[in-house]
Amino acid sequence: MSDNKEPYDMVVFGAGSAGYAAALRGAQLGLSVALVERHKLGGTCLHNGCIPTKAMLHAAELADQARHGRDVGVHSSFRGIDMEALHAYKDSVVSSLCKGLTGLVDARGITYVEGEGRLSSATSVDVGGLRLTGRHVVLATGSVPRTLPGLEIDGRRVISSDHALALDHVPASVIVLGGGVIGVEFASAWSSFGAQVAVVEALPHLVPAEDETVSGRLEAEFIKRGITLHLGVPFAGSEYTEDGIRVRLADGRTLEADLLLVAVGRGPVSQGLGFEEAGVAMHRGHVLVDEYMRTSVPTVSAIGDLVPTPQLAHVGFAEGILVADRLAGQSAVPIDYDGVPRVTFSRPEIASVGLTEARAEQVYGAENIDSVVYDLATNARSRTLRTEGHVKVVRRKDGAVVGVHMIGDRISEQIGEAQLIYNWEARPQDVAGLIHAYPTQGDALGEATLALTGKPLHVQV
């Protein structure tokens, strides 16, 4: 086992969003950094998650526009999906981003090692015959798709999101098991591509972490698009048919389709990697950390999907930066996870930040909460886009905005202002005093805050 002569300041175990962010920031601050990855630089988000799915969803948006071009006087039609060309487009986006990231890692003098790693002590990671020793180790080994007990993902008729991104055809019919972000994004894309889609969700609503008004609106829009919903009913089992899959639900109903996509969440990659042997405290596969991402071992931190925080790439970025800042002696501020923006890139899109109204009522008391829902039907830009949806703003009475919840085509582009409103603890009157460009969807956020001040411009109260 060969060893580096001088210990690195930081050995980062995993080069996904969280790990490479920690490595880049550490190197930027003058730390010597080694970065270990078993697959490809960029991890799940770049190669099997955020980026390829968004490329797929952009193709879905274009398919819908072609299908409905005649509604706005454009002679266009939808004739199908060329999966080979779609994969070439998707892969080109991923490849260009990966090359850019590789250049950043090289330019900052980071030692990058590709291979299966294992935490061999509280200060070292082994990769093949190489031992990388550091003054501190940062665990960032990410996550993989979960399944349910007794349900085997075979990659043929029962697939994960990884398999879904590599399909060489559009399935004629598909059952999506799970109505969270991953499930509804694939359901939306496949429906746009022409598949018959059914979504099964054990909880009463799609995207159950979102405000209930948003979930309800998404459900209504999915039904209008012909997507079948089975909500509040658990999965009971499945079996192969002659040429597809049959799914049994807990209420006795059965569904049949060509494919079953299992989208019930992602689990941490932590087993067999030496974490517990090194004394790192864990719970249900997650590494336990404090608000500064410190584990039970003083020389080990953990970040990203490996820890029980929101599984979002930008959360991983923030956690990686926090750890690097702390190790470099910089001021490190714990993350307010309620202040992290959340986006679902279905059609319609969902964008939110802060507390749902139900959660705000639990925290502050129902009598201390106000909210307003501004319907995009009265927003000029949304009318030209032919999208339906709304902007909901939740605030403490006579106080700051504590939640913003939006749904509509392209509404994700408005999350930046919503994020600032929440994180800077702005009051509705602070935002209402700003002049929002017209006609834009951002104007809907301005109108919603005007309504909360009792002075709406384009709606009756």
Side-chain angles (χ1 to χ4, degrees):
M1 182 73 66
S2 60
D3 200 343
N4 48 295
K5 294 180 180 179
E6 291 293 328
Y8 292 96
D9 293 317
M10 182 167 61
V11 176
V12 183
F13 188 4
S17 301
Y20 81 68
L24 289 175
R25 182 57 158 246
Q28 187 179 54
L29 295 174
L31 301 180
S32 58
V33 181
L35 180 60
V36 177
E37 172 56 44
R38 64 175 179 169
H39 288 146
K40 297 178 181 178
L41 182 61
T44 293
C45 177
L46 179 53
H47 298 281
N48 299 98
C50 322
I51 305 306
T53 56
K54 302 315 164 281
M56 181 176 173
L57 285 158
H58 176 58
E61 180 185 23
L62 293 178
D64 286 329
Q65 290 175 348
R67 187 181 283 113
H68 299 293
R70 70 185 68 180
D71 296 343
V72 296
V74 176
H75 295 292
S76 64
S77 61
F78 174 68
R79 297 168 55 188
I81 300 295
D82 181 340
M83 289 301 290
E84 184 176 351
L86 173 56
H87 284 310
Y89 153 66
K90 169 177 64 68
D91 294 344
S92 70
V93 173
V94 171
S95 177
S96 64
L97 290 172
C98 188
K99 287 179 181 177
L101 180 57
T102 300
L104 280 174
V105 168
D106 289 343
R108 296 195 185 172
I110 296 167
T111 300
Y112 177 63
V113 181
E114 200 163 281
E116 293 284 347
R118 177 182 172 82
L119 186 67
S120 49
S121 75
T123 55
S124 62
V125 175
D126 289 354
V127 189
L130 178 65
R131 173 162 294 167
L132 299 169
T133 301
R135 296 182 177 87
H136 202 91
V137 174
V138 181
L139 306 178
T141 48
S143 63
V144 291
R146 286 187 187 274
T147 188
L148 297 177
L151 178 59
E152 179 186 355
I153 296 175
D154 58 25
R156 293 178 292 145
R157 301 187 195 181
V158 182
I159 65 174
S160 70
S161 56
D162 290 350
H163 302 116
L165 286 169
L167 284 180
D168 61 2
H169 67 287
V170 176
S173 58
V174 61
I175 299 166
V176 177
L177 180 57
V181 173
I182 296 172
V184 302
E185 287 189 349
F186 275 101
S188 183
W190 275 328
S191 178
S192 296
F193 290 166
Q196 291 294 316
V197 180
V199 181
V200 176
E201 170 56 54
L203 295 175
H205 290 289
L206 296 179
V207 285
E210 297 292 344
D211 191 87
E212 196 166 311
T213 59
V214 167
S215 297
R217 195 72 178 243
L218 180 66
E219 290 157 14
E221 293 300 314
F222 268 24
I223 290 169
K224 284 170 60 176
R225 295 178 59 192
I227 299 172
T228 304
L229 305 181
H230 302 274
L231 305 177
V233 54
F235 169 86
S238 67
E239 57 267 342
Y240 278 4
T241 61
E242 184 176 344
D243 54 3
I245 191 82
R246 179 183 297 115
V247 169
R248 290 177 281 108
L249 305 182
D251 61 6
R253 285 178 292 171
T254 61
L255 311 173
E256 293 192 15
D258 293 343
L259 292 175
L260 170 63
L261 169 65
V262 182
V264 294
R266 298 182 62 87
V269 176
S270 59
Q271 296 304 306
L273 297 180
F275 297 170
E276 291 174 302
E277 291 87 337
V280 176
M282 301 174 66
H283 179 66
R284 295 184 176 180
H286 285 107
V287 172
L288 299 180
V289 294
D290 65 8
E291 68 270 29
Y292 292 98
M293 317 313 295
R294 296 177 296 205
T295 73
S296 56
V297 178
T299 55
V300 179
S301 296
I303 53 179
D305 288 1
L306 182 61
V307 303
T309 56
Q311 292 182 332
L312 298 168
H314 43 286
V315 166
F317 295 153
E319 292 174 347
I321 291 169
L322 186 157
V323 168
D325 285 351
R326 175 169 57 82
L327 296 180
Q330 304 290 309
S331 175
V333 179
I335 297 166
D336 172 12
Y337 290 99
D338 287 330
V340 172
R342 306 173 296 273
V343 179
T344 302
F345 291 89
S346 52
R347 185 172 69 83
E349 291 181 348
I350 297 168
S352 61
V353 65
L355 307 181
T356 65
E357 184 165 14
R359 178 61 179 151
E361 290 178 349
Q362 291 176 349
V363 173
Y364 300 110
E367 70 280 3
N368 298 317
I369 292 297
D370 269 341
S371 69
V372 68
V373 176
Y374 176 81
D375 199 291
L376 294 184
T378 57
N379 176 257
R381 179 59 174 156
S382 297
R383 292 296 291 270
T384 65
L385 293 173
R386 301 180 69 83
T387 185
E388 297 184 6
H390 65 251
V391 172
K392 180 176 184 177
V393 180
V394 182
R395 70 155 180 185
R396 297 179 67 179
K397 286 184 178 177
D398 301 319
V401 171
V402 297
V404 179
H405 309 279
M406 304 178 286
I407 182 169
D409 290 351
R410 303 188 187 178
I411 205 69
S412 63
E413 301 303 325
Q414 307 310 316
I415 195 60
E417 182 181 0
Q419 177 185 359
L420 294 178
I421 290 169
Y422 172 86
N423 284 287
W424 283 348
E425 299 181 348
R427 300 167 301 164
Q429 54 267 41
D430 298 327
V431 184
L434 302 175
I435 299 175
H436 289 78
Y438 179 90
T440 66
Q441 287 187 305
D443 177 56
L445 191 50
E447 288 277 1
T449 55
L450 278 168
L452 273 175
T453 66
K455 300 175 182 179
L457 184 61
H458 289 103
V459 292
Q460 296 284 347
V461 292

